[in-house]
């Protein structure tokens, strides 16, 4: 991603002397429909690849914190980020409606499973913390995308039924429906693998689950990310335990690790090159830098508040809070959602702010995560 950003800056500099060349490269990048490529293809493969390596037993032990962080935490963060962004823009003399700021809050609040899981693989973090962060990132996309869709429609002026009954119905359809279909696909795939002792067919069945599952989610209007996460969990736990030989497991793990590495490399490269398509990123540097602080503060409050308001919930100490806040990385999902905002709803402004947050999140937070863990572990030993 850093190399892609440096390349983009170099292309912008070259473009001042040779504008035709810069325009040509920008045209190539703009021809990539990033929201469709990420949300419709890459995200499904990457979520499945990440989920097959996560233990359902570990998730079950941390189910309550994960549920709260991925639902109530996202909602708290959305409205806090939106309100603080609205106040910031007013201070800067920009008349941006609150509802548009809430749209920004919804797209920037969820932690990105692709960035988070990639970083957690390399950080020597305590198991229960790793499970909390990874589990939250796997399951919060369903809530955030639903919240984003509702707020975006309100910002567009569309008539939206925001009664509790309708929102709850959408929540059940998107999230519960996604989990049910995902578990069902994983179970059916495991049964198929069990009857065919061939590692090549085993791998192909898992690919079919991802590709076919995506078409099913589109048809049923349910959460694709949740479906893929649930299917991956079933294959990675039930399927490996009951249906696969040692050879099958070995080839399956190697295949999906390779897919994970290749797609992550492509994803972060595209994120870096998206810099070419953000027209006002230099002018919006103040908004971008303050947005980073707003997102970090909101992340802290969204973790702290539910834990203290809801009784009998695990209370996190300062070191745990530091890891949870700093480990809540934002990534391609936020940029994809920002690109789907209508142009007349201040898309360029919010896209610039999103890019600042994502770059800081992945480069600064991501690269320093290991050092933070080492520092905390050293303090605990002392």
């Amino acid at each position: 991603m850093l190399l892609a950003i440096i390349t983009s800056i170099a292309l912008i500099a070259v473009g001042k002397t040779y504008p035709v060349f810069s325009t040509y490269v920008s045209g190539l990048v703009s021809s990539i429909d990033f929201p469709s490529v990420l949300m419709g293809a890459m995200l499904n493969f990457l979520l499945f690849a990440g989920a097959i390596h996560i233990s359902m037993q570990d998730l079950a032990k941390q189910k309550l914190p994960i549920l709260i962080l991925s639902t109530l935490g996202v909602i708290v963060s959305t409205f806090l980020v939106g309100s603080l962004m609205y106040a910031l823009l007013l201070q800067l003399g920009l008349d941006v409606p609150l509802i548009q700021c809430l749209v920004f809050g919804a797209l920037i609040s969820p932690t990105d499973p692709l960035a988070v899981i990639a970083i957690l693989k390399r950080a020597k973090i305590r198991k229960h913390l790793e499970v909390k962060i990874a589990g939250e990132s796997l399951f919060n996309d369903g809530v955030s995308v639903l919240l984003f869709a509702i707020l975006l429609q309100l910002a567009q002026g569309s008539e939206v039924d925001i009664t509790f009954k309708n929102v709850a119905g959408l929540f059940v359809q998107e999230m519960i429906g996604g989990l049910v279909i995902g578990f069902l696909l994983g179970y059916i795939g495991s049964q198929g693998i069990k009857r065919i002792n061939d590692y090549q067919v085993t791998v192909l069945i898992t690919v079919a689950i991802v590709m076919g599952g995506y078409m099913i989610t589109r048809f049923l209007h349910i959460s694709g990310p949740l479906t893929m996460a649930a299917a991956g969990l079933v294959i990675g736990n039930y399927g490996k335990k009951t249906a696969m030989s040692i050879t099958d497991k070995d080839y399956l793990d190697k295949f999906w690790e390779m897919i994970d590495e290749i797609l992550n490399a492509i994803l972060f490269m595209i994120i870096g090159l998206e810099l070419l398509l953000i027209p006002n990123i230099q002018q919006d540097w103040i908004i971008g830098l303050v947005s980073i602080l707003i997102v970090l503060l909101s992340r802290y409050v969204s973790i702290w508040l539910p834990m203290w308001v809801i009784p009998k919930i695990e209370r996190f100490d300062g070191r745990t809070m530091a890891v949870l806040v700093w480990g809540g990385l934002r990534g391609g999902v936020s940029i994809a959602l920002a690109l789907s905002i209508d142009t007349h709803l201040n898309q360029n402004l919010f896209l610039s702010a999103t890019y600042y947050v994502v770059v800081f999140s992945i480069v600064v937070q991501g690269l320093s995560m290991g050092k933070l863990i080492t520092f905390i572990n050293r303090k605990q030993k002392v």
Side-chain angles (χ1 to χ4, degrees), residues 45-46 48-54 117-118 121-122 203 206-207 240 248-265:
F45 280 93
L46 287 165
F48 185 89
I52 62 174
H53 300 296
I54 296 176
I117 292 173
K121 285 180 181 178
R122 295 164 175 82
V203 170
T206 59
V207 173
K240 283 185 178 180
D248 289 345
K249 294 177 188 177
D250 184 49
Y251 276 96
L252 183 72
D253 286 340
K254 287 178 179 176
F255 173 81
W256 283 104
E257 283 174 9
M258 182 61 69
I259 292 293
D260 189 33
E261 292 293 334
I262 292 172
L263 292 184
N264 263 306

Side-chain angles (χ1 to χ4, degrees), residues 1 42 46 259-271:
M1 180 175 166
M42 297 177 73
L46 287 165
I259 292 293
D260 189 33
E261 292 293 334
I262 292 172
L263 292 184
N264 263 306
I266 294 172
L267 170 63
F268 290 123
M269 181 190 70
I270 294 174
I271 291 175

Side-chain angles (χ1 to χ4, degrees), residues 1 108 271 292 330-332 334-335 353-363:
M1 180 175 166
I108 206 66
I271 291 175
I292 294 170
R330 274 67 178 181
S334 293
I335 292 179
T354 301
Y355 201 83
Y356 274 97
V357 173
V358 169
V359 170
F360 179 86
S361 175
I362 295 175
V363 175

Side-chain angles (χ1 to χ4, degrees), residues 22 44 54 60 65 123 130 326 332:
S22 180
N44 297 299
I54 296 176
E130 179 183 349
W326 204 247

